[in-house]
Structure formats: C-alpha cells, structure tokens
Amino acid sequence: MSESKSGRDDPRFRQIDSFDQYLGTDLARTHGFTRSEQAAGLDPALVQSQHEQLMRDGYIILQDMVDADTLQALRTEATPQLEKMGRNSFEGERTQRIYAVPEKLRSADPFIEHPLVLAHLDRLFQPNYLLSQAQVINILSDSPAQPLHIDDGFYAWPRPRPALSAATVFAVDDFTAENGATVAIPGSHLWAEERSPQPGDARVTAVMPAGSCILFLGNLWHGGGENFSGSSRLAITAQYCEPWLRTQENYFLSVSAETAAAVSEDIRRLLGYSIHPPFMGMSDGMHPKRRLPGGDS
Ligand SMILES: O=C(O)CCC(=O)C(=O)O
C-alpha cells in the first residue's frame, strides 16, 4: 500500500541535515525561486552608488524612470476611478486614492515592477520581498500637508533598526513645491524610537518632473506636501516589505486568482505567489502558484 512507502522512495525527496539548511533551502519542488531578470541586467556600479546614497540619506530621487506614454496610460485608466475623498486626515480630506491597484489598473505594472526599483529592493530585502500596498494618490488643491510619518512603524521592532519596507512615489504630474510634492527629512531613517520630527528639522521637498520617482526607506519620516497650487497632483506609490512580514493590503482578497495568473512573474511574486524558504507562503502544503488557474495542483 502506498501509505507504507517512505517519502524517500520519491526521487524528489530532499534530505535536510541542519537547521541552517532548513531555513535557507527553497524546498518548493514544482516552482523554484524567481528573480527579476531585468533588474539583474542593470549596471551594478550605478545601482551600488545610488544604494549608498539611499542608505546615507534615506531617499534618492530617480529621474526619467518612465516615458510620457506610460504616464498617459496610467492617467487615462486611473482618472475615471478617482472618486472619493480621504476618510481621515492621514488619507487626506482633499485627497483621492485608488486601492487594489494591481487588480484595477494594468497600466500601473510598469511602475510597480520598474527594473531599477527592483534592483534596489534586491539589495535591501531578502528574495521574494512583497508588495505591501500600492495606491494612486491625487492631492487636490487646497489640501493641507499630510502628517509626517514612517511607513514601517507598525512592525513591533524598535528603531533604530534596518528598514523593513521601502516605497516609491512616482510623479505623474510634475511635483512642485506648491502642488504637494512629497516632503521628507533626510537622515531621519537613523533616528531612535523616541525621536519625532520637530519644526527645526531640515526637510527636502521632492520637486521633480513627471516620470521621476522618490525612492525611500520605510523608516524615513515623510509625507505628502500641502497643495496650494490651484491644480491637482497625481502620483502612484508602491510600498514593498520583507517577505516574512504581513503586507498592508491583503492581495489574496484584493486581486483575483485570474488576474494573479495573468500578470508578469515579477508582479505575481510581489503579490505573494512565492515561497520564502523553507515554506512561508505555501497553500495546502503547495507552492501558491499551483493554486492559480492553469496551475498544476
Ligand atoms: O503622496 C505622497 O507624496 C506621500 C504619500 C504617503 O506617504 C502616504 O500616503 O503614506
């Protein structure tokens, strides 16, 4: 009877001899690790120098990240879905947000899986890092500044500590000092738990042309700026976290299995269809990709 057989009789049986090996081994048999090939193709010296700046200041501004057609595609798809105003002063009383972005906006993919962003995330986090949330943010004129905050403060690990998440904010409109460009406090990613922003702290305003992005660490103090320009400020933001943390948006509910099966491998992995070794993220003992339509469960 098959019950009496040993697992060792299966040629794919894996022998684990130490706890370190258990922690570090990708035990998935049907679907192994995937990594962004596009990110791997970038100039390592350029990425390294930007990485050093990111670790020093807590943020970097990257220009010419996406072209005009990519910006227009996002604007066209997002605009009809920009309806409600924020429900609290953090979301912004005169700020519109779109959640569940990977389900609702295919035009957001080039921002979420931008190769240079992934190349930086590859340096910051363990493989199989996750998309914690993504939003389109439209700050309307006469919107007060968003309260300064850090993005990874809800993880119960006191600062100073390494960043547990990182974020991009892409300018879809030009970001100006008047229309609500993101504001950040350089170096504040190194602050201890007790320290919070004071009026005298030097701040930087991410004034940048459309198509640029500010990439910052999850422990950097920042926020959307005040908009007193007479026009709105459209942006798309994505936050990413270590693969062993809970994400802010529950993408297994927000993104249908059909969509998860259809997106790129990079987006699918970011949505949680991956395994953090040895088997975090499994479903019914299997790689989660096997549960998707067309998967070989
Ligand atoms: O809109 C921005 O510039 C920043 C938004 C932000 O930090 C947030 O909503 O958490």
Side-chain angles (χ1 to χ4, degrees):
M1 280 166 56
S2 60
E3 287 79 6
S4 63
K5 277 184 152 184
S6 160
R8 282 179 188 280
D9 295 337
D10 186 326
R12 297 174 303 164
F13 181 81
R14 307 267 282 280
Q15 175 67 34
I16 305 296
D17 291 319
S18 71
F19 187 59
D20 283 350
Q21 194 187 358
Y22 166 76
L23 287 183
T25 307
D26 182 7
L27 287 177
R29 299 195 301 197
T30 306
H31 296 289
F33 260 34
T34 60
R35 284 181 188 262
S36 167
E37 287 170 17
Q38 288 189 73
L42 294 170
D43 174 10
L46 171 73
V47 180
Q48 182 58 27
S49 75
Q50 292 175 349
H51 175 76
E52 285 164 18
Q53 198 186 334
L54 178 62
M55 298 313 286
R56 185 192 66 209
D57 299 335
Y59 75 96
I60 44 177
I61 291 180
L62 303 166
Q63 295 209 359
D64 299 321
M65 293 286 277
V66 292
D67 61 21
D69 288 348
T70 306
L71 293 171
Q72 187 55 44
L74 182 83
R75 187 187 298 281
T76 303
E77 200 178 11
T79 301
Q81 301 188 46
L82 286 167
E83 290 163 0
K84 294 185 188 131
M85 297 293 174
R87 294 159 293 185
N88 51 64
S89 55
F90 189 84
E91 284 186 317
E93 64 204 70
R94 287 188 49 73
T95 298
Q96 300 164 310
R97 292 173 186 257
I98 302 174
Y99 295 93
V101 163
E103 178 66 26
K104 295 176 182 169
L105 302 173
R106 245 346 11 92
S107 57
D109 291 357
F111 300 86
I112 293 172
E113 61 175 344
H114 193 288
L116 184 53
V117 172
L118 297 188
H120 281 290
L121 299 174
D122 284 345
R123 279 170 174 69
L124 291 171
F125 304 129
Q126 294 187 1
N128 300 300
Y129 48 80
L130 298 168
L131 184 68
S132 183
Q133 64 154 305
Q135 295 177 37
V136 171
I137 302 180
N138 194 34
I139 303 183
L140 303 182
S141 191
D142 303 321
S143 175
Q146 186 186 35
L148 292 176
H149 58 280
I150 60 171
D151 285 339
D152 67 6
F154 38 71
Y155 297 122
W157 180 359
R159 286 164 285 120
R161 53 155 168 72
L164 302 174
S165 73
T168 54
V169 180
F170 278 86
V172 180
D173 288 316
D174 291 339
F175 273 24
T176 70
E178 294 79 33
N179 76 357
T182 313
V183 174
I185 304 182
S188 58
H189 60 303
L190 304 173
W191 289 2
E193 193 71 19
E194 303 71 38
R195 187 162 171 193
S196 57
Q198 301 300 318
D201 293 323
R203 292 168 193 213
V204 67
T205 303
V207 172
M208 54 188 182
S212 316
C213 87
I214 177 169
L215 168 64
F216 53 93
L217 300 175
N219 47 7
L220 185 82
W221 286 90
H222 71 280
E226 178 184 359
N227 186 344
F228 51 92
S229 66
S231 313
S232 51
R233 186 222 76 173
L234 189 63
I236 177 164
T237 178
Q239 293 184 29
Y240 310 83
C241 67
E242 289 279 16
W244 35 270
L245 288 170
R246 185 173 183 184
T247 60
Q248 291 168 78
E249 180 149 6
N250 185 331
Y251 283 122
F252 300 107
L253 291 174
S254 299
V255 175
S256 68
E258 288 69 28
T259 299
V263 293
S264 73
E265 177 62 19
D266 284 338
I267 298 272
R268 192 163 33 249
R269 183 180 61 245
L270 287 166
L271 291 173
Y273 292 88
S274 64
I275 293 286
H276 177 60
F279 34 66
M280 282 182 78
M282 57 85 176
S283 172
D284 196 13
M286 291 187 283
H287 195 289
K289 281 201 284 197
R290 297 181 65 184
R291 307 304 300 273
L292 291 177
D296 49 0
S297 61

